[in-house]
Amino acid sequence: MLTRTCLLRKGAAGALLAGLGVALAHYAPPLPESVIAKPARQFGLPFAGAPGPDTWLLGQGYGNTTGAYRQRRSTYGNLQGLHAGLDFSAPCGTPVRAIGDGVVAEVDGPHGSPPHNVVIDHAGNLSSLYGHLLKRASVRPGQRVTRGQVIAESGDSQLTCISAPHLHLEIRDRSHQRLFNPVPYIAADWESLALAGSFGRGYEYDLSAPRKWQTPETQPEVRRGGPLLNDFARPWPPAPGGAR
Ligand SMILES: [Zn+2]
């Protein structure tokens, strides 16, 4: 029994080291503020056509969401406890479009949001990541793409296409260490979109500062590996089981 436990531990440690190796191999220091393009609504939406119950809707917002709060020490522990992208709910197979002109940097690379993802590098040292894709994207690294070009098909983070079908979209600096709120970068009628989706109504409160990080526009930047931003003294809704 003891041997088996040790073997299991060894396996886990091996996997951890292998994971760390991948992470270190791809580590680049965060880029300074001065070389990163400021948000100026320079990008478009990743889906074409009008939102609606049969097409696409906004699901989870970026930032201090209640969902991220509940998983702040697990899924989002390395992202300061925040949801570092926007979730667009859509049936599996919905065509995903490049949000701006750029060059495909990675297809199924190491930067998260499985089972399949794409990263596009844009001007201003920005990168966009499209995650939970249905299958390996048809574009190739090094390929130039234009805004609105179909690059992939949306999928489901739980791989069923009936439980959580959505696209996870992130805007990062090119080092992948800084993750930005996509809302001010993307030209869209966010207020109308928020009326149709659950977007913007699911932020965790700190009752000590109840207006902090409660709107789509006012969410903080995430630094990969930084300290938790939402370890609130008086969280609402409370953490399951009353644990903080
Ligand atoms: Zn997401």
Side-chain angles (χ1 to χ4, degrees):
M1 194 60 193
L2 188 65
T3 313
R4 188 160 174 264
T5 309
C6 286
L7 280 174
L8 282 174
R9 285 212 178 121
K10 232 176 173 174
L16 188 71
L17 285 175
L20 199 63
V22 167
L24 287 175
H26 291 272
Y27 180 79
L31 294 176
E33 199 76 37
S34 56
V35 301
I36 301 171
K38 301 271 180 295
R41 299 169 67 89
Q42 60 265 62
F43 295 118
L45 288 163
F47 289 140
D54 297 324
T55 54
W56 60 271
L57 291 169
L58 286 169
Q60 190 181 184
Y62 167 97
N64 173 39
T65 64
T66 52
Y69 174 77
R70 283 196 296 271
Q71 298 178 63
R72 68 195 181 285
R73 296 191 200 283
S74 51
T75 310
Y76 302 104
N78 195 37
L79 297 168
Q80 300 195 274
L82 302 188
H83 182 234
L86 285 176
D87 287 346
F88 293 84
S89 304
C92 275
T94 301
V96 175
R97 293 159 190 275
I99 63 170
D101 296 350
V103 175
V104 177
E106 294 169 3
V107 175
D108 291 349
H111 289 115
S113 216
H116 298 282
N117 63 36
V118 169
V119 172
I120 297 176
D121 286 346
H122 304 282
N125 287 307
L126 293 168
S127 299
S128 53
L129 175 137
Y130 310 76
H132 306 319
L133 301 173
L134 187 62
K135 55 191 182 189
R136 188 179 171 89
S138 52
V139 291
R140 298 175 315 280
Q143 184 178 337
R144 195 162 282 283
V145 292
T146 55
R147 177 171 170 162
Q149 182 175 336
V150 175
I151 53 164
E153 293 178 37
S154 69
D156 185 324
S157 58
Q158 297 177 8
L159 315 182
T160 66
C161 286
I162 55 169
S163 49
H166 72 280
L167 170 73
H168 175 88
L169 174 73
E170 294 184 5
I171 295 181
R172 308 166 165 203
D173 81 331
R174 206 171 286 189
S175 76
H176 297 272
Q177 304 305 312
R178 303 177 62 171
L179 300 93
F180 305 117
N181 183 359
V183 167
Y185 277 104
I186 294 177
D189 182 354
W190 292 108
E191 288 186 13
S192 297
L193 289 173
L195 291 174
S198 61
F199 185 72
R201 293 200 289 274
Y203 298 111
E204 184 75 12
Y205 288 101
D206 180 358
L207 296 180
S208 307
R211 299 175 75 167
K212 190 176 180 183
W213 301 336
Q214 291 300 307
T215 65
E217 296 80 12
T218 59
Q219 301 297 315
E221 175 187 334
V222 166
R223 291 281 184 133
R224 190 179 300 282
L228 286 180
L229 291 174
N230 54 356
D231 208 14
F232 297 145
R234 298 173 63 204
W236 190 266
R244 267 197 56 216

